[in-house]
Amino acid sequence: MALVGKQFPNLNVDAMNEMGDTFKVNVLEEAKNNNKKVLLFWYPKDFTFVCPTELHAFQAALAEFEKRNTIVIGASCDTPEVHFAWLNTPKDNGGIEGVTYPILADSNRNLASTLGILDITNETYNEETGVVTVEGDNVTYRATYIIDEEGNVQHESINNMPLGRNVGEYLRLIDALTHVQEKGEVCPANWEEGKDAMNANRDGVASYLAAHAN
């Protein structure tokens, strides 16, 4: 079920930071209480392959997100202790040492289940034993959410496991959202900061298309 246009779920989740502190994070409250946007990205597993490249890419762009009044939060279903071990593993050994934003440890899968982003197929229930079994790793796909200052989801996307994200696209989307909020205009295809936007009416699209015919 799509969450775009809806409030992000109001749930507290364990998190870990590079200092080894375990604490609770409520993504909805982070947005609303701090009057900031939130970029929340999920990845399948610690100590894997595509995942550390993404965590380092978001870290490298952290200052750009902060300039845009945006909090970055990573997330997976690993435990806080595994997060901390990975945070203490050097980059040249496949680790994420140097990552400073919080990482959710949704080990009970409460939030991931609510979002519907777990790799689960063919769930079966055994009536005799009462046991539910599933196929799949029961970890999250590469889901990404942009949440506005009111706690509303403005963007969600889900990549399959092998497909790494383009961090620059999320900066572009946040720029577009900010432009809409501040200017009241809408952002056409391939819009980037500094390019023309348009009014959301017939005259607006006509004049935009006429000016960008080529």
Side-chain angles (χ1 to χ4, degrees):
M1 183 182 68
L3 284 180
V4 169
K6 301 181 178 72
Q7 284 266 291
F8 193 81
N10 184 9
L11 286 172
N12 296 318
V13 183
D14 283 339
M16 172 63 71
N17 63 19
E18 83 280 12
M19 302 300 294
D21 302 317
T22 302
F23 50 98
K24 295 287 186 183
V25 170
N26 183 309
V27 175
L28 178 66
E29 291 179 356
E30 288 294 309
K32 296 176 75 171
N33 293 351
N34 294 298
N35 194 34
K36 291 179 181 288
K37 297 178 178 67
V38 175
L39 184 290
L40 171 67
F41 73 97
W42 294 80
Y43 62 92
K45 295 179 185 178
D46 292 358
F47 291 100
T48 52
F49 318 113
V50 176
C51 298
T53 69
E54 292 192 313
L55 274 86
H56 285 299
F58 279 107
Q59 179 67 35
L62 193 58
E64 292 298 319
F65 285 102
E66 290 172 349
K67 283 197 303 188
R68 291 162 171 81
N69 196 42
T70 301
I71 299 167
V72 173
I73 301 174
S76 80
C77 296
D78 296 279
T79 64
E81 293 78 13
V82 174
H83 282 343
F84 189 53
W86 204 26
L87 283 160
N88 279 281
T89 302
K91 190 173 183 178
D92 62 6
N93 197 27
I96 58 167
E97 188 176 46
V99 167
T100 60
Y101 49 81
I103 306 175
L104 302 186
D106 188 31
S107 54
N108 59 16
R109 291 164 171 74
N110 284 346
L111 183 53
S113 295
T114 300
L115 296 173
I117 57 174
L118 288 165
D119 170 26
I120 295 174
T121 57
N122 296 331
E123 187 171 317
T124 58
Y125 175 69
N126 186 315
E127 292 186 3
E128 290 185 10
T129 63
V131 173
V132 176
T133 58
V134 299
E135 294 180 18
D137 289 338
N138 203 21
V139 297
T140 65
Y141 295 107
R142 299 186 193 282
T144 315
Y145 298 85
I146 295 173
I147 300 141
D148 69 16
E149 297 87 344
E150 302 298 321
N152 296 316
V153 177
Q154 295 290 338
H155 167 87
E156 65 178 321
S157 59
I158 303 176
N159 291 8
N160 208 347
M161 309 302 186
L163 306 177
R165 282 162 280 213
N166 182 338
V167 172
E169 171 63 3
Y170 300 107
L171 292 170
R172 189 194 72 83
L173 286 167
I174 290 168
D175 285 342
L177 173 57
T178 301
H179 186 93
V180 171
Q181 290 172 326
E182 294 180 352
K183 307 292 186 184
E185 297 178 314
V186 294
C187 297
N190 300 325
W191 182 90
E192 294 176 343
E193 183 63 47
K195 290 187 175 181
D196 292 338
M198 63 191 204
N199 294 319
N201 53 43
R202 183 181 177 85
D203 289 341
V205 66
S207 59
Y208 178 86
L209 291 174
H212 299 83
N214 296 320

